[in-house]
PDB file of all heavy atoms in Angstrom:
ATOM      1  N   LYS B  46      76.205   8.257  22.737  1.00 94.00           N
ATOM      2  CA  LYS B  46      76.320   8.723  24.181  1.00 94.00           C
ATOM      3  C   LYS B  46      76.490  10.257  24.045  1.00 94.00           C
ATOM      4  O   LYS B  46      75.718  11.086  24.836  1.00 94.00           O
ATOM      5  CB  LYS B  46      77.513   8.136  24.850  1.00 94.00           C
ATOM      6  CG  LYS B  46      77.417   6.606  24.764  1.00 94.00           C
ATOM      7  CD  LYS B  46      78.592   6.063  25.591  1.00 94.00           C
ATOM      8  CE  LYS B  46      79.889   6.437  24.878  1.00 94.00           C
ATOM      9  NZ  LYS B  46      80.232   5.673  23.711  1.00 94.00           N
ATOM     10  N   SER B  47      77.626  10.703  23.377  1.00 94.00           N
ATOM     11  CA  SER B  47      77.827  12.136  23.485  1.00 94.00           C
ATOM     12  C   SER B  47      76.725  12.930  22.968  1.00 94.00           C
ATOM     13  O   SER B  47      76.311  14.003  23.490  1.00 94.00           O
ATOM     14  CB  SER B  47      78.970  12.363  22.605  1.00 94.00           C
ATOM     15  OG  SER B  47      80.156  11.717  23.206  1.00 94.00           O
ATOM     16  N   GLN B  86      85.677  15.972  27.718  1.00 91.00           N
ATOM     17  CA  GLN B  86      86.700  15.063  27.596  1.00 91.00           C
ATOM     18  C   GLN B  86      88.034  15.812  27.533  1.00 91.00           C
ATOM     19  O   GLN B  86      89.047  15.363  28.115  1.00 91.00           O
ATOM     20  CB  GLN B  86      86.489  14.189  26.481  1.00 91.00           C
ATOM     21  CG  GLN B  86      87.564  13.205  26.210  1.00 91.00           C
ATOM     22  CD  GLN B  86      87.408  12.127  25.048  1.00 91.00           C
ATOM     23  OE1 GLN B  86      86.258  12.317  24.372  1.00 91.00           O
ATOM     24  NE2 GLN B  86      88.172  11.238  24.853  1.00 91.00           N
ATOM     25  N   ASP B 162      81.416  14.177  29.929  1.00 93.00           N
ATOM     26  CA  ASP B 162      81.550  13.414  28.689  1.00 93.00           C
ATOM     27  C   ASP B 162      82.996  12.841  28.631  1.00 93.00           C
ATOM     28  O   ASP B 162      83.937  13.566  28.440  1.00 93.00           O
ATOM     29  CB  ASP B 162      81.354  14.352  27.503  1.00 93.00           C
ATOM     30  CG  ASP B 162      81.345  13.548  26.222  1.00 93.00           C
ATOM     31  OD1 ASP B 162      81.500  12.301  26.279  1.00 93.00           O
ATOM     32  OD2 ASP B 162      81.100  14.174  25.192  1.00 93.00           O
ATOM     33  N   GLU B 163      83.015  11.521  29.068  1.00 92.00           N
ATOM     34  CA  GLU B 163      84.227  10.864  29.097  1.00 92.00           C
ATOM     35  C   GLU B 163      85.386  11.583  29.867  1.00 92.00           C
ATOM     36  O   GLU B 163      86.443  11.807  29.180  1.00 92.00           O
ATOM     37  CB  GLU B 163      84.726  10.351  27.720  1.00 92.00           C
ATOM     38  CG  GLU B 163      83.536   9.690  27.006  1.00 92.00           C
ATOM     39  CD  GLU B 163      84.050   8.567  26.088  1.00 92.00           C
ATOM     40  OE1 GLU B 163      85.165   8.229  26.160  1.00 92.00           O
ATOM     41  OE2 GLU B 163      83.275   7.989  25.332  1.00 92.00           O
ATOM     42  N   VAL B 194      79.147  10.094  30.973  1.00 96.00           N
ATOM     43  CA  VAL B 194      79.283   9.296  29.808  1.00 96.00           C
ATOM     44  C   VAL B 194      80.589   8.602  29.824  1.00 96.00           C
ATOM     45  O   VAL B 194      81.704   9.197  30.073  1.00 96.00           O
ATOM     46  CB  VAL B 194      79.110  10.159  28.439  1.00 96.00           C
ATOM     47  CG1 VAL B 194      79.676   9.446  27.388  1.00 96.00           C
ATOM     48  CG2 VAL B 194      77.557  10.573  28.305  1.00 96.00           C
TER      49      VAL B 194
HETATM   50 MG1   MG D  21      81.689  10.480  22.633  1.00 94.71          MG
END
Side-chain angles (χ1 to χ4, degrees):
Chain B
K46 308 177 296 282
S47 297
Q86 179 171 3
D162 192 355
E163 311 215 7
V194 161

